[in-house]
């Protein structure tokens, strides 16, 4: 138990480091941008009227104070970290004075839902089919699945989302291609709302699953075809242990440990895919919000989203890594 | 090509048939035939719960908020107006009354108008609005403008407002006159309860317009407005009952998704799409149509896309260089590349739309034909009066009957003339300006290569990116290395910092219906011009300075808005601009607003009833509501 | 009943002569690795025409250096054949079966596994599933055969462990928590819990250090005696054989070259290869240097002509190069395949390439 | 090496299919040098012509021949992918070998950094990079940015190989013979690591081309440079799909999928060849 505690400590330290470095990158990168949110605001404000230089200067100072951009970079940095510690990224500059955290909280559940459902399906399906394919190497339907998975797996999420959208939204228009639920349907715990959310999530999830399943399938198949040569599998076969028991408790169970670690390591990439898919399907998650924030030059929001994604992904990886020892009796001592 | 087109049409038909059913339940709980669905070109709104549109923000205004909920003193129609009247007294009972010195404006208000929460609209609301804006010039869009102009504002009685101005301004009423937007009136009884009005989210909004908010997407993708039961207590009631019970403004996604949605009858008004998408939609869907029945379908906005040159930069200071750049442009190719031929071209600094052909283009045609420039070696007549006709002829083989034959119709749809592409003259002008051609590349007088970066607004205005890209190619071919830089909206505001070279944009916007040019021209006065490299509001950002220009502007300021002398002065401005070429005018901003008459009829159209601009993000869109009738009702 | 406690490694004790009915008869068994990789077809004759009998209650030792085909032979008699290995010919008959091992359907095969035929394998270190407790392995392997309810089943397991001097607590351990020797003991307990008629042991002690090895061997012997099963015991280690085997077969390059009671082999090896193996055993007080064999074991994909040992044989004659010697019975219980050992040894009637492409009764897929 | 490739090509179905696909793609990209039209030039051919003998992949709404445009696009995309892959391999090798060989504190620190990069979602970071450099966002800069994000996973792989190499005898020998750490890494360890580097290169090229396509389609790259991504960008700008100009979308998407699948197959077969375990099982070692 002491060993596990030490492990948790070390792993949590790693998490803190990741978050610290990540948020720092986000902060300094955004502050190095040539985009001046004040200029953008003034440009928006004076688009339809004439404004003389004095008036512009007046507005400029008022905005600087309002946006909290006084002080040098170092002072802003300190203020920034003090805010981040309270999970506060300040007001959004493009949706002033709404706090960035409000906007992120509004978008986060959608990204989380899309990402977790798609990941669970593709991870589960990929591992199940991949495990079967690795174990029953001569099974023709499984071989076929393998060919399809290998073909789909290297396609980038954007291209896949695009193809799915064209196929089911245009060529054979059977599913909604934009938004997260039906227009004018109030959010709430109603059956109609859930049905609508489900329907709207089908295409984004499908496109993520098509790409995602392949990688897990291929990984699992390779793992399993190695594991079946392990002594304990051969021995169990010699012992006449039940086939399904061998497949599940001996083969899959051992492969799963690697696949769970793999899941933790690839969360960043999966997050990427989800973000891009959101953009294609106009899904109201972090990805869309990020793109909009970039277009609007809202760097408070950009830092907020980048930091949130880094924290979220690193945290998910942390959770998986902390759960892993509970699955694998060998890791517990290590 | 033909077979495939037929195939894609058949495909479109298939889509149409299959989706007729699905369109019914596009909106939950609202019968499809009671709702008008229009595109909000802002896309998804970042913070949909903030309805305070007096503060600067990138989106959340044309969600129906300014079109259906807001109201202000006057409207000028960009086209011909309801009942042929361009000017509409909305909240005001009459036109603005100035004193002789133009330093006092009196407004009579229309009585009997109600806010949507049942409170009566009075002069106090107007006074409160102006005072609130003035008090917080940083927090409000129009704060600085009010602060700079208004000395005091008062309400002697509940139907009268008197503005005392800090200095004479014969166009002060423009602040409260809608051309796309204006300063909207705030409900005093709502805002006065707020400690900091600029931070109030105004949710739910209290409306003066005929509609009030029904529901909105917490993620910002849609807003639904409901006709007020007491719509008769709104200014629109003068024209009858608004047709649609509900109006939905939605984010339909990128241009191709918009086309797909309208094919499925789930989007009644597309704000804008690509020319190709619009052509395909009109061909495949018999119920879809544009402003023009035939080519170019699009509505020409009273704005003038142009190549904005930063005249404060050393390389663009010389008018000869600017003229050379204009003469290197092949307008036909630009027209094809940007609008697929569906542009209305303009050689001069006013848009060829609304009433402007009548006030400016026809009277000045002869002057343009006679106009000459000195290339340093010879004198040439740069104007080619047949350009519009030639473009129409070029398109006729592929577009057939959609291309008009009548010269008047061609001029209305395609424009008249433009500058003839003349690389020889351009080279002579460049040499005259001290540039040298070395190995096929032009060198500036200081010996460095003449290069140009054309900034475009990227995804926001794809058509402009397309135009910029072909112009860059034409300049490069002539030996001036040019590239385009497609910027996202956020970077766009950096254009105003004075670093920009050439930009695909416009600095000319007009009322459309009214010939007065002050709407854009007043801000071109050198009093508003910033120093080189310093921030300049997005007006006159070619940063052109000319004593003659200042003189024209000052003369306009001294006369009344409706004084016919204004047109003469406007023509003087056009001539001055032609001689100096501070920017290179190209064409009107044609918006491919496509309307679907499956559920609603009575949309404005160029041929039958040009009562207003169909482009649904304009404040003027409210006038459409009284003309729209359910399909099959007539 | 044999006496136990013959653990004097340096001497070879007298074994009683073989007796009793056969528990396993192998006839002319051939098993080849047939590979097709990067366009090259290879045929590795790992088991090439082997016939032998293991009697009831007997420990039959099989010796030979690495990659002589011992393990492949075991796989073949254990019906653990998977591609690219395939059985080309011959028969494998167990006394408890009414037909050839390879005539069984998968269900029948599964029914005899562990119940009648169990296996202590090479690399016992890794034969236990690393993510399951030992208890669960017992359930997986033995529960269905014992016909007992949970509680009596574990009582039986505990009793069995006790008999083998193992603490019941091992059941709750994960494999990685056990030492190598402990793991091997657990494996032996696992292999004997169902009291099978026949046990196949493949190098069960190789990876253990000498002290542990001794204990484990004693345990194997004890278990075998307790349940009275027959055992085929394979190791390259002649010392181990001297300690445990009743009879000994010597394999070289896929063939059986000599077979005799263990004592006779050590006392009087007939085949020069056997002689070499015996001579290389360390003896107390011995000073002289061991004479090592020149050359390496032959490549079984392309074995030498005639006697496969001839390139390394100090006694090689002309005939050795030309024809393979038959395994010839010289005396009861004593077989050898060497021309030099006796004039009775004649060239093998089953000539080279008997198993050519003509009749290739491939039997694969018993496991897969 | 050549022999290995020849063998792989002859006997490994995945490799031969992958190689044929990639050769096809490379041939198309090389064809760009024969293009009758300069890259990026518009209105050189009639627009919107469907595939025909004169224009095998049709022409687009910008008056460009889709086939020739595609040759430039795939050339730039491949070059881009290769540049990212080479740069990130360089980082991965240096970090991986150093970390694995030197060990100790250096290893801990390097791997901490490494793990940080592993969990970074690259897309927001690249968007941030674009946010700063927009005005100067060039092909090379994007490649460097992506390379900085694409090395971590493989550095770990190389480190684990280096760890096992460190204990091998020849390392000790080289150490005793007075070779410096750098020399040992470069001369002794690198050759062992190279095959796996080759396999990961293919994957990395895939990754970077995919990301480039994504960024371009959103308009976050230099849209003047023809790449697969900017081709799709321009097609979207002209709503090619709903306008019925399907060939403008279908051919780039098809070609990029061929590239992905080809590179993927190459990587898989290389991996199979490198992994002694699968090689062994393929050959069926005699026991």
């Amino acid at each position: 138990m002491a060993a596990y505690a030490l492990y948790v400590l070390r792993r949590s330290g790693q998490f803190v480091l990741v978050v610290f470095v990540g948020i720092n990158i986000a902060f300094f990168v955004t502050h190095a941008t040539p985009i001046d949110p004040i200029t953008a605001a003034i440009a928006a404000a004076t688009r339809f009227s004439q404004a003389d230089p004095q008036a512009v200067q007046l507005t400029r100072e008022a905005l600087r104070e309002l946006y909290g951009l006084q002080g040098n970079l170092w002072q802003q940095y300190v203020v920034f970290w003090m805010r981040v510690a309270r999970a506060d990224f300040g007001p959004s500059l493009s949706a002033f004075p709404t706090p960035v955290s409000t906007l992120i909280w509004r978008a986060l559940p959608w990204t989380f839902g899309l990402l977790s459902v798609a990941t669970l399906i593709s991870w589960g399906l990929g591992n199940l089919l991949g495990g079967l394919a690795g174990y029953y190497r001569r099974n023709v339907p499984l071989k076929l699945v393998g060919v399809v998975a290998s073909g789909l797996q290297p396609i980038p999420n954007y291209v896949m989302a695009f193809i799915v959208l064209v196929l089911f939204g245009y060529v054979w228009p059977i599913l909604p291609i934009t938004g997260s639920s039906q227009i004018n349907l109030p959010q709430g715990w109603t059956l109609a709302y859930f049905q609508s959310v489900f329907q709207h999530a089908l295409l984004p999830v499908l496109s993520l699953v098509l790409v995602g399943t392949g990688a897990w399938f291929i990984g699992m198949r390779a793992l399993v075809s190695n594991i079946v040569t392990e002594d304990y599998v051969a021995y169990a076969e010699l012992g006449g242990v039940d086939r399904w028991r061998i497949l599940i408790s001996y083969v899959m169970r051992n492969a799963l440990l690697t696949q769970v670690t793999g899941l933790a390591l690839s969360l960043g990439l999966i997050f990427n895919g989800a973000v891009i898919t959101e953009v294609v399907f106009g899904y109201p998650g972090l990805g869309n919000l990020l793109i909009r924030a970039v277009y609007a030059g809202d760097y408070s929001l950009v830092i907020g989203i980048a930091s949130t994604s880094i924290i979220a992904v690193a945290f998910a990886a942390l959770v998986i890594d902390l759960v892993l020892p509970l699955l694998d009796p060998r890791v517990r001592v290590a | 090509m033909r077979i495939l087109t037929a195939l894609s049409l058949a495909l479109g038909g298939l889509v149409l048939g299959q989706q007729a059913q699905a369109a019914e339940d596009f909106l939950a709980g609202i019968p499809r035939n009671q709702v008008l669905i229009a595109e909000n070109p802002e896309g998804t709104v970042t913070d949909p719960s903030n309805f305070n549109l007096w503060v600067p923000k990138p989106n959340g205004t044309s969600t129906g908020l300014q079109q259906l909920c807001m109201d202000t003193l006057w409207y000028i129609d960009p086209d011909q107006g309801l009942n042929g009247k361009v000017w509409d007294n909305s909240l005001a009972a009459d036109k603005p009354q100035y004193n002789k010195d133009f330093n006092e404006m009196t407004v009579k208000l229309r009585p009997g108008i109600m806010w949507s929460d049942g409170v009566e609209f009075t002069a106090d609301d107007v006074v409160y609005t102006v005072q609130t804006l003035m008090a917080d010039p940083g927090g409000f869009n129009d704060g600085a403008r009010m602060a700079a102009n208004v000395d005091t504002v008062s309400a002697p009685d509940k139907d009268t407002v008197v503005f005392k101005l800090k200095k004479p301004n014969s166009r002060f009423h423009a602040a409260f006159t809608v051309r796309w937007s204006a300063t909207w009136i705030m409900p005093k009884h709502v805002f006065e309860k707020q400690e900091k009005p600029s931070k109030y989210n105004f949710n739910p909004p209290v409306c003066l317009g005929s509609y009030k908010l029904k529901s909105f997407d917490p993620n910002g993708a849609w807003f639904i407005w409901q006709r007020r039961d007491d719509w008769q207590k709104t200014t629109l009631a003068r024209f009858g009952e608004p047709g649609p019970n509900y109006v939905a403004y939605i984010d339909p996604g990128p241009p191709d998704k918009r086309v797909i949605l309208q094919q499925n009858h789930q989007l009644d008004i597309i704000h804008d799409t690509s020319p190709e998408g619009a052509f395909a939609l009109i061909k495949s869907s018999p119920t879809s149509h544009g402003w023009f029945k035939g080519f170019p379908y699009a509505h020409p906005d009273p704005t003038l896309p142009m190549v904005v040159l930063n005249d404060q930069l050393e390389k663009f200071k010389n008018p000869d260089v600017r003229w050379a750049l204009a003469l290197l442009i092949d307008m036909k190719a630009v027209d094809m590349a940007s609008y697929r031929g569906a542009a209305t071209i303009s050689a001069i600094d006013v848009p060829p739309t609304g009433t402007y052909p009548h006030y400016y283009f026809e009277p000045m045609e002869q002057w343009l034909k006679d106009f000459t420039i000195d290339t340093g070696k010879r004198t040439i007549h740069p104007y080619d009066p047949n350009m519009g006709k030639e473009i129409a002829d070029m398109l006729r083989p592929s577009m057939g009957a959609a291309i008009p034959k009548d010269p008047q119709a061609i001029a209305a749809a395609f424009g008249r003339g433009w500058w003839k592409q003349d690389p020889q003259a351009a080279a002579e002008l460049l040499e005259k300006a001290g540039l040298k051609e070395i190995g096929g590349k032009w060198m500036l007088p200081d010996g460095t290569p003449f290069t140009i970066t054309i900034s475009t607004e990227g995804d926001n205005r794809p058509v402009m990116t397309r135009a910029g890209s072909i112009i860059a190619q034409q300049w490069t071919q002539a030996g001036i290395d040019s590239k385009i830089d497609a910027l996202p909206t956020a970077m766009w505001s950096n254009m105003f910092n004075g670093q920009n070279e050439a930009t695909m944009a416009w600095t000319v916007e007009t009322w459309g219906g009214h010939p007065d040019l002050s709407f854009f021209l007043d801000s071109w006065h050198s009093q508003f011009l910033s120093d080189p490299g310093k921030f300049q509001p997005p007006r006159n950002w070619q940063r052109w300075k000319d004593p003659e220009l200042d003189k024209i502007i000052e003369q306009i300021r001294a006369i009344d808005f409706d004084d016919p002398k204004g047109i003469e002065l406007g023509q003087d401005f056009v001539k001055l601009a032609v001689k100096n070429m501070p920017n290179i005018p190209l064409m009107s901003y044609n918006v491919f607003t496509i309307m679907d008459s499956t559920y609603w009829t009575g949309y404005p159209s160029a041929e039958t009833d040009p009562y207003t601009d169909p482009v649904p993000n304009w404040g003027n869109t409210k006038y459409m509501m009284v003309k729209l009738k359910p399909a099959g009702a007539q | 009943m044999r006496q136990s406690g013959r653990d004097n490694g340096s001497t070879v004790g007298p074994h009683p002569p073989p007796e009793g009915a056969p528990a396993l008869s192998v006839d002319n068994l051939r098993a080849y690795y047939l590979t097709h990789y990067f366009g090259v077809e290879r045929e590795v004759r790992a088991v090439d025409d082997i016939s032998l009998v293991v009697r009831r209650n007997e420990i039959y030792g099989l010796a030979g250096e690495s990659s002589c085909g011992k393990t492949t032979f075991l796989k073949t008699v254990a019906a653990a054949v998977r591609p690219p290995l395939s059985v080309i010919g011959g028969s494998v008959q167990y006394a408890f079966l009414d037909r050839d091992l390879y005539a069984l359907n998968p269900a029948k095969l599964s029914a005899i596994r562990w119940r009648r035929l169990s296996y202590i394998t090479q690399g016992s270190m890794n034969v236990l599933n690393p993510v399951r407790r030992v208890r669960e392995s017992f359930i997986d392997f033995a529960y269905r055969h014992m016909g007992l309810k949970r509680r009596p089943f574990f009582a039986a397991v505990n009793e069995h462990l006790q008999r083998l001097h193992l603490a019941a607590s091992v059941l709750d351990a994960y494999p990685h928590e056990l030492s190598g020797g402990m793991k091997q003991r657990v494996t032996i307990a696992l292999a004997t819990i169902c009291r099978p008629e026949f046990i196949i042991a493949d190098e069960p002690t190789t990876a253990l250090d000498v002290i542990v090895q001794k204990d484990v061997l004693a345990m194997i012997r004890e278990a075998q005696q307790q349940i009275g099963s027959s055992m085929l015991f394979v190791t390259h280690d002649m010392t181990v054989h001297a300690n445990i085997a009743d009879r000994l077969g010597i394999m070289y390059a896929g063939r059986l070259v000599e077979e005799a009671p263990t004592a006779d082999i050590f006392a009087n090896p007939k085949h020069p290869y056997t002689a070499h193996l015996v001579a290389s055993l360390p003896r107390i007080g011995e000073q002289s240097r061991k004479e090592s064999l020149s050359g390496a074991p032959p490549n079984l994909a392309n074995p030498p002509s005639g006697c496969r040992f001839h390139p390394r044989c100090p006694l090689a004659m002309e005939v050795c190069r030309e024809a393979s010697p038959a395994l010839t019975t010289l005396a009861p219980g004593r077989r050898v395949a060497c021309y030099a050992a006796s004039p009775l040894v004649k060239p093998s009637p089953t000539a080279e390439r008997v198993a050519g492409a003509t009749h290739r009764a491939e039997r694969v897929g018993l496991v897969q | 090496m050549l022999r290995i490739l020849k063998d792989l090509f002859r006997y490994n179905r995945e490799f031969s299919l992958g190689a044929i696909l990639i050769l096809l793609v490379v041939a198309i990209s090389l064809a760009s040098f024969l293009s009758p039209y300069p890259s990026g030039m518009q209105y050189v051919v009639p627009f919107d012509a469907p595939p025909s003998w004169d224009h095998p992949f049709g022409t687009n709404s910008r008056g460009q021949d889709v086939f020739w445009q595609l040759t430039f696009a795939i050339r730039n995309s491949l070059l881009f992918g290769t540049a990212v892959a080479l740069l990130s391999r360089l980082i991965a090798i240096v970090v991986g070998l150093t970390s694995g060989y030197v060990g100790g504190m250096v290893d801990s620190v390097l791997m901490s950094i490494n793990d940080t990069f592993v969990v970074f979602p690259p897309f927001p970071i690249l968007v941030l990079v674009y946010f700063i450099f927009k005005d100067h966002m060039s092909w090379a800069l994007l490649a460097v940015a992506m390379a900085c994000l694409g090395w971590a996973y493989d550095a770990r792989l190389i480190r684990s190989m280096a760890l096992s190499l460190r204990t091998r005898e020849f390392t000790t020998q080289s150490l005793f013979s007075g070779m410096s750490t750098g020399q040992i890494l470069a001369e002794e360890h690198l050759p062992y690591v190279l095959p796996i580097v080759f396999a990961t290169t293919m994957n990395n090229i895939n990754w970077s081309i995919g990301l480039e396509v994504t960024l371009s389609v959103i308009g976050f790259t230099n849209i003047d440079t023809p790449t697969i991504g900017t081709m799709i960008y321009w097609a979207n700008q002209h709503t090619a799909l709903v306008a019925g100009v399907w060939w403008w979308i279908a051919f780039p998407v098809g070609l990029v999928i061929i590239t992905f699948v080809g590179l993927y197959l190459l990587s898989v077969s290389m991996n199979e060849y490198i992994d002694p375990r699968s090689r062994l099982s393929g050959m069926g070692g005699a026991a």
Side-chain angles (χ1 to χ4, degrees), chain A residues 127-214:
Chain A
N127 282 327
L128 184 70
L129 291 177
L132 288 172
Y135 197 57
Y136 298 105
R137 293 225 76 145
R138 283 148 199 270
N139 185 298
V140 175
L142 285 172
K143 272 189 177 172
L144 225 63
V145 172
V147 172
V148 173
S150 313
L152 294 180
Q153 188 264 339
I155 299 175
N157 286 97
Y158 171 79
V159 174
M160 181 58 81
F162 187 71
I163 291 173
V164 165
L165 182 128
V166 169
L167 285 184
F168 298 103
Y170 185 65
V171 176
W172 188 36
I174 50 162
L175 284 169
I177 53 174
T178 195
S180 60
S181 65
Q182 199 186 3
I183 295 180
N184 199 36
L185 199 58
Q187 276 190 8
W189 303 101
T190 60
L191 184 65
Y193 183 67
F194 276 102
Q195 269 176 344
S196 182
V197 168
F198 176 77
Q199 210 185 16
H200 281 75
L202 275 177
L203 286 187
V205 168
L206 177 70
S207 73
L208 282 171
V209 165
L210 282 178
V211 175
T213 309

Side-chain angles (χ1 to χ4, degrees), chain B residues 128 132 187-195 197:
Chain B
Y128 175 79
T132 307
K188 181 183 181 213
H189 63 284
V190 176
F191 273 81
E192 68 185 353
K193 292 181 194 137
Q194 301 300 323
E195 195 184 323

Side-chain angles (χ1 to χ4, degrees), chain C residues 193-305:
Chain C
I193 175 85
C194 296
R195 302 180 154 265
E197 275 97 331
F198 204 94
I199 300 171
I200 295 169
D202 184 9
E203 306 261 15
T205 58
T206 309
L208 306 175
D209 67 62
V210 183
I211 310 289
V212 179
Q213 200 175 50
K214 216 168 81 177
D215 290 349
V216 169
L217 279 179
M219 182 178 173
I220 290 176
R221 169 63 83 186
E222 196 181 338
Q224 185 255 343
Q225 281 172 4
Q226 273 176 17
I227 62 176
S229 49
S230 316
M231 183 180 274
L232 183 60
F233 191 107
V234 166
T235 176
H236 67 278
D237 188 339
M238 291 302 279
T239 326
V240 172
H241 279 304
N243 270 311
I244 197 162
D246 297 319
R247 281 196 302 143
L248 206 50
I250 310 294
M251 267 187 92
Y252 184 80
R255 290 192 169 153
L256 199 59
V257 294
E258 186 169 4
E259 182 193 69
T262 312
D264 296 354
I265 291 264
F266 281 92
N268 182 18
K270 295 272 192 210
H271 197 281
Y273 178 64
T274 315
H276 160 75
L277 287 181
V278 172
S280 59
L281 278 178
R283 277 159 215 272
I284 291 172
E286 195 177 63
Q287 298 286 320
S288 64
R289 257 184 57 208
K290 301 283 180 238
E291 207 180 308
S292 64
L293 275 180
S294 62
N299 177 358
L300 291 181
N302 185 19
S305 63

Side-chain angles (χ1 to χ4, degrees), chain B residues 300-319:
Chain B
D301 266 12
T303 40
L304 186 71
M306 52 179 65
V307 186
V308 179
L309 301 168
N310 183 350
D311 298 347
Q312 282 180 337
L313 290 183
E314 197 58 45
K315 55 179 151 186
F316 298 128
K317 267 190 180 153
N318 190 331

Side-chain angles (χ1 to χ4, degrees), chain B residues 1 4 8 255-257 259-260 263 273-274 276-277 280 333 336-338 340 458-459 461-463 465-466 469-470 473 477 483-488 490-491, chain D residues 40-44 47-51 61-62 130-132 134-135 217-224 233-234 236-244 246-247:
Chain B
M1 177 71 190
L4 280 157
S8 59
D256 34 10
K257 277 197 190 172
V259 171
I260 294 172
Q263 278 175 338
T273 182
S274 74
E276 290 84 358
M336 289 309 295
S338 56
R340 278 305 271 280
D459 270 351
R461 304 201 189 278
V463 169
T465 306
R466 289 159 60 166
S469 134
I470 187 77
Q473 176 175 326
Q477 278 173 321
K483 62 173 173 107
I484 51 162
D485 189 5
L487 297 166
M491 304 289 180
Chain D
M41 278 289 252
Q42 309 165 60
Y43 294 89
V44 287
F47 48 74
D48 291 349
S61 308
R62 306 180 77 207
Y130 166 79
F131 211 65
I132 320 182
K134 175 53 201 151
D135 291 356
V217 165
I218 307 173
F220 284 4
T221 59
N222 180 1
I223 55 169
D224 274 343
Y233 170 86
W234 281 110
N236 281 347
Q237 294 271 302
H238 289 255
T239 56
L241 192 70
V242 291
W246 54 267
W247 49 91

Side-chain angles (χ1 to χ4, degrees), chain B residues 1-12, chain D residues 48-52 58 243-247:
Chain B
M1 177 71 190
R2 203 148 296 195
I3 293 169
L4 280 157
T5 311
L7 207 72
S8 59
L9 291 188
L11 203 74
Chain D
D48 291 349
S52 67
V245 192
W246 54 267
W247 49 91

Side-chain angles (χ1 to χ4, degrees), chain B residues 41-226:
Chain B
E42 296 171 337
T44 296
V45 175
T46 314
D47 184 10
S49 59
N50 188 346
F51 292 91
N52 186 339
L53 85 174
W54 292 271
V55 300
K57 53 182 186 172
N59 50 41
T61 7
S62 57
T63 57
L65 185 60
Q66 75 166 1
Q67 302 97 313
L68 304 171
C69 172
M70 293 294 146
D71 206 343
T72 190
L73 306 178
W74 304 283
Y75 282 71
I76 290 183
D77 201 86
D79 290 294
Q80 295 181 12
L82 278 176
N83 310 324
K85 281 165 71 186
V86 168
W87 179 281
D88 182 46
N89 298 311
S90 192
L91 285 174
D94 204 349
K95 288 200 160 192
Q97 307 298 317
Y98 287 95
N99 65 356
K100 209 172 126 284
D101 299 333
F102 294 113
N103 58 13
E104 187 182 304
M105 182 178 85
T106 307
V107 184
K108 279 282 174 200
L109 298 179
R110 193 177 292 283
I113 303 298
M114 291 290 197
W115 291 98
S116 59
D117 58 359
V119 174
E120 194 189 4
F121 161 75
T122 68
D124 286 347
D125 290 315
V126 179
V127 171
Y128 175 79
T129 302
V130 175
Q131 287 173 341
T132 307
L133 298 185
M134 284 168 69
D136 191 357
F140 291 110
N141 283 331
D142 295 328
R145 185 187 195 179
M146 292 298 160
N149 277 285
V150 179
D151 187 25
T152 60
V153 57
S154 58
D157 61 65
K158 82 181 185 70
D159 294 330
T160 312
V161 182
V162 179
F163 293 87
K164 292 231 179 350
L165 305 180
K166 284 182 173 164
K167 55 193 179 213
N169 185 350
S170 62
R171 302 292 187 274
F172 178 67
H173 66 278
F176 298 95
T177 309
V178 176
R179 180 243 175 241
W180 193 81
S181 183
T183 300
W184 307 103
I185 306 303
M186 284 174 169
K188 181 183 181 213
H189 63 284
V190 176
F191 273 81
E192 68 185 353
K193 292 181 194 137
Q194 301 300 323
E195 195 184 323
K196 184 99 177 149
S198 63
K199 287 198 171 182
Y200 176 48
N201 70 2
F202 195 33
N203 180 18
V206 174
C207 304
L208 273 179
S210 304
Y211 288 79
K212 61 181 185 189
L213 185 69
K214 172 171 169 52
S215 60
F216 68 96
D217 178 12
N219 298 306
W222 48 264
F223 292 80
I224 299 176
W225 304 85
Q226 182 175 16

